[in-house]
Amino acid sequence: MNQRRYNIYFHTHTISGIIIAVLLYVIFFAGTLSFFKDDISAWQKGKSVVATDYSQDYNYLIDSLGSKYNLRGRNFDFFLLKQGHGTYVNMSTSQDTTISKPKPKAEGQQGRGRRGRDDGDSAYFLHFFTDKTQSSYAEGYDMGEFLYRLHFLAQLNQVPMPIRLGAPFGYLLAGIVSFLFLFALITGLLLHWDKIKSNFFLFRPWSKWKTVWTDMHTVLGIIGFPFQLVFAITGVVLIVNFFIISPFSKLLYVGEDAKLYQDLQYNREMKVDYIYRPLDKTVDFNAFVADWQQQWNGSKISRLYIRNYMDESMEVIIESKPDSRLNFAGSGYARVQMKDGKVLETKSPNYDTNHIDRVKSLVYHLHFGDFGGRPLRIVFFLLGLTGCVVILSGIMIWLVARDKPNIPVYKRRFNFWAANVFLAICLAMLPVTAFTLIMVKMLNKVDQSVIYSAYFYSWLVLSVYLVVLRNLTRINKHTLLLSVVLCFLVPLANGLSTGQWLWNTFAVRAYDIFFIDLLFMMFGLGCAFAYYKVKKDGKAFKVSV
């Protein structure tokens, strides 16, 4: 490789990598734990999904709403949770103006979003089929949801922006980070291409610090390159698909975004005119769903829509996804007129797979690792952790490479403080996550605001404390020791607060709760071993500033 190309790859890789280092670590760490989102949710609530028998009782759900509201003419949207043990329910005001009087909107007020507040006559809430309980989105918020949304920086959407960006700030920032990460990956591969074979397993732990970090960064980066490339590409597609699709909506659809998203199977036209004639029959939604599940063998219902409830114009739309272990790609859809049971539209998730299904399924399954059960998610989890190590070692390489006598003192001082802040924020995430899990178990009431306060305030306090240490070796030791203590306290807090000790959850086959306790015990053991090795054999690391 000639020197000019090497310099281009080197500087592009270095600059793009260091700019996004902290945010990329947050995305990787939170995303890695998000592979076990459902397990974390079950652990926090103390209610195992895998060890509980339940049925999706839509009749009970609608009847319970009927005791509070007049349901005639309303629209219902059911967004089922991934494991099917619960659903988000969005109930609109009635299309019948004798029941629901339309309320004028304040100037500039937008329609209620999926997680918006209800206006007293509509409702949005989370219903669990397992115990038939209901809660608002904020009340049902848990650490699984928090970490999942943190991995695409959704919490930053609440930051007020002085200018209109065309997309939520957190999503946009996560998309930019994913795009720059793609640049860093490709340039990093090209940078090491000539020595990719000879240095594939090269690791020299007893050499000088720069060599240690470089070997770790290079070896783990190359081994994990396919995984990280997949995540960079799918992350860009999932987060900033609006910007990818926008040119096509302007050129091919003449600005008709709704038509484009309908063709891409993100939205469906479900407008049904209300005719003010009561439906003279009862509807068994449980039987309706069971019938379609039987027809679509091996598929899971993902969404259910009811339009103009108990009016003669009433229609029910059902969507499903095939079991990824049986059919990797596909989506099912049926639209039924309830007056006479006439099927207006249908698409089998098992046999009517099209190109859009294949592309969307490929992106979703590769990003979420949900097509091979828990073993595959553990593999993805381990590869995600290697990504975290690559980011940390990249920060250290960047610092050590610039700690030279020929570099002006003010530049070396800036480089040290940048690395000091970066590492403090990144390394604080594990003990902070463990601390928050302990808090949600020990507190009587936990909702979205409690989780936000516990996580972000503790993260801020610990990060400031580590920055003040001004010593990278001490930062490493302190976070390792704190992680050991807090990670071992996670299963202890669960056992003390609920009586669900590891041996109990394993005995009753509550493997989702058991796994989280075991995972944090393994975190604790790993950090304890690392702390022991660092204290016994670790070399002092100093920066000349």
Side-chain angles (χ1 to χ4, degrees), residues 270-468:
M270 291 182 289
K271 182 174 177 57
V272 182
D273 293 330
Y274 190 73
I275 60 177
Y276 289 88
R277 288 201 296 266
L279 186 66
D280 59 357
K281 59 183 266 189
T282 58
V283 179
D284 186 343
F285 291 100
N286 293 345
F288 175 86
V289 172
D291 179 59
W292 281 102
Q293 281 186 311
Q294 185 177 8
Q295 292 187 47
W296 295 332
N297 185 33
S299 66
K300 296 181 179 180
I301 303 303
S302 58
R303 295 186 179 186
L304 183 70
Y305 305 96
I306 302 173
R307 292 295 177 263
N308 298 344
Y309 180 75
M310 295 312 292
D311 185 70
E312 275 196 5
S313 61
M314 178 180 172
E315 292 183 7
V316 177
I317 300 96
I318 189 169
E319 293 183 4
S320 72
K321 297 290 184 183
D323 188 335
S324 57
R325 292 170 296 184
L326 303 175
N327 190 3
F328 190 78
S331 64
Y333 172 78
R335 183 170 185 166
V336 181
Q337 188 172 278
M338 302 308 293
K339 179 179 66 173
D340 51 12
K342 181 180 179 181
V343 178
L344 303 178
E345 296 178 66
T346 183
K347 176 179 178 293
S348 171
N350 299 320
Y351 305 110
D352 297 332
T353 304
N354 54 37
H355 178 67
I356 293 176
D357 288 328
R358 295 187 186 95
V359 173
K360 289 173 66 175
S361 297
L362 183 67
V363 171
Y364 277 94
H365 289 320
L366 289 180
H367 193 82
F368 294 108
D370 59 355
F371 57 94
R374 191 183 301 276
L376 181 66
R377 284 187 284 134
I378 292 175
V379 172
F380 272 41
F381 170 78
L382 295 175
L383 289 170
L385 290 183
T386 64
C388 294
V389 175
V390 168
I391 295 168
L392 293 176
S393 58
I395 296 174
M396 294 305 301
I397 294 172
W398 178 83
L399 174 62
V400 174
R402 285 154 181 77
D403 183 37
K404 298 178 181 178
N406 63 320
I407 304 294
V409 174
Y410 75 93
K411 287 187 177 181
R412 277 184 283 157
R413 187 172 290 121
F414 171 82
N415 295 338
F416 168 76
W417 276 104
N420 189 40
V421 172
F422 287 1
L423 289 174
I425 294 173
C426 294
L427 293 177
M429 285 196 73
L430 177 57
V432 165
T433 302
F435 170 77
T436 308
L437 286 172
I438 296 169
M439 294 304 295
V440 300
K441 274 297 184 182
M442 304 308 293
L443 295 174
N444 292 326
K445 181 183 178 182
V446 178
D447 57 17
Q448 186 176 13
S449 62
V450 170
I451 293 176
Y452 273 35
S453 299
Y455 199 97
F456 289 125
Y457 283 130
S458 61
W459 195 5
L460 175 63
V461 170
L462 182 57
S463 297
V464 171
Y465 167 74
L466 295 175
V467 168
V468 172

Side-chain angles (χ1 to χ4, degrees), residues 80 130 204 218 379 391 396 453 457-458 494 499 518-519 542:
L80 274 74
T130 48
R204 295 160 287 183
T218 304
V379 172
I391 295 168
M396 294 305 301
S453 299
Y457 283 130
S458 61
N494 185 34
L518 181 63
L519 175 65
K542 294 182 180 179

Side-chain angles (χ1 to χ4, degrees), residues 13 28 181 184-190 192 196 199-203 213-230 383 385-394 397:
H13 180 75
F28 254 86
F181 178 46
L185 279 175
I186 296 173
T187 53
L189 181 67
L190 293 173
H192 299 290
I196 193 171
N199 293 353
F200 192 80
F201 293 109
L202 181 64
F203 186 57
W213 299 122
T214 301
D215 287 350
M216 186 181 298
H217 188 76
T218 304
V219 172
L220 293 180
I222 294 299
I223 292 175
F225 175 83
F227 169 83
Q228 294 163 10
L229 181 66
V230 165
L383 289 170
L385 290 183
T386 64
C388 294
V389 175
V390 168
I391 295 168
L392 293 176
S393 58
I397 294 172

Side-chain angles (χ1 to χ4, degrees), residues 66-125:
S67 65
K68 303 175 185 177
Y69 304 90
N70 186 338
L71 301 184
R72 186 174 301 280
R74 294 181 186 272
N75 295 335
F76 296 89
D77 299 334
F78 299 93
F79 305 96
L80 274 74
L81 300 181
K82 185 176 179 181
Q83 291 182 295
H85 62 290
T87 178
Y88 286 105
V89 182
N90 187 11
M91 182 186 74
S92 73
T93 57
S94 177
Q95 308 302 308
D96 191 329
T97 55
T98 64
I99 296 174
S100 296
K101 301 294 184 182
K103 296 182 178 180
K105 293 181 181 179
E107 184 177 352
Q109 181 181 350
Q110 299 297 320
R112 184 171 64 87
R114 182 176 166 186
R115 292 187 176 88
R117 302 174 181 174
D118 63 56
D119 58 8
D121 193 42
S122 60
Y124 181 84
F125 59 91

